[in-house]
Amino acid sequence: MNIVSKMQAPALLVAGLVLVAGSPAHATDCTVSGITGLGVPDVTVGSAGTNTAGACVVVGTVTTTGFGAPDGSARFLVALPPTALWNKKFVQLGQGGFAGTLSASTNAADPGAAAAQNYATAITDTGHTGSSTDASWALVSPGVPDEAKLTDYYFRAVHEVAVAAKE
C-alpha cells in the first residue's frame, strides 16, 4: 500500500462515521463492532460510544507511515456531534509541550466550547505517551533518536488525524 492510501485509511474511518451516524443518538452504528465493521485498514478502534451530549466518541490507533521515517502509530480521539446538529465544521485540538495524551492541555475550555457549537473534533497523542514536560520517549537509547516517534510528534500524527477527521 502506498503512502497516499496509508494516509487515506484513517480518513475513511471518519468518513464512514459521518455517513453511518444518521440519527442524533448515533444508535447502534457508534459501537466498536459497528466502527470496526467498516473495515478501514491500519485503524484499530479501542472504544466507541455516545457521550451525554449525544456525540459519537471514537478512540483508536492509526498506523502512521511515510515521510522518510519508520512506521509508527498514534492514538486518536474523534468526537462527532449528532448528525442533525453538526455545523459541518472541524476543529483539530492541540496540546502543549511534548504532548503525549488525548487531552487538550493548552486550553481545557476548547473541547467543551467546540462541542457546544457542534464542531467535529479530533486530537492525537502525537505518536507517544508521556507528560508535556518529558521528552524521554524521543530516544530509543541514549543518543539514538526514535525517528518514527519524532516524525509523528513533529507533524505526521496530527496531519493524518486531521485528514481523517476532515473526511
Side-chain angles (χ1 to χ4, degrees), residues 1 16 21 54 71 91 94 99 108-109 111-113 118 122 128 142 144 151 164:
M1 185 176 283
D71 291 354
V91 173
N118 296 306
H128 66 278
V144 180
T151 302

Side-chain angles (χ1 to χ4, degrees), residues 9-10 38 57 64 71 73 91 105-106 108 122 133 162 165:
L38 296 172
V57 178
T64 56
D71 291 354
S73 66
V91 173
S105 60
T106 56
T133 60

Side-chain angles (χ1 to χ4, degrees), residues 20-77:
V20 300
S23 70
H26 301 292
T28 59
D29 297 315
C30 191
T31 64
V32 171
S33 61
I35 303 306
T36 302
L38 296 172
V40 180
D42 301 321
V43 171
T44 302
V45 178
S47 65
T50 55
N51 63 15
T52 56
C56 180
V57 178
V58 179
V59 178
T61 305
V62 62
T63 300
T64 56
T65 61
F67 300 100
D71 291 354
S73 66
R75 291 184 314 133
F76 63 84
L77 184 148

Side-chain angles (χ1 to χ4, degrees), residues 17-18 21 23-26 51 53-57 78-89 114-121:
L17 287 173
V18 172
S23 70
H26 301 292
N51 63 15
C56 180
V57 178
V78 173
L80 301 168
T83 304
L85 301 176
W86 183 38
N87 68 12
K88 308 296 187 272
K89 296 179 182 176
Q117 295 180 32
N118 296 306
Y119 283 83
T121 62

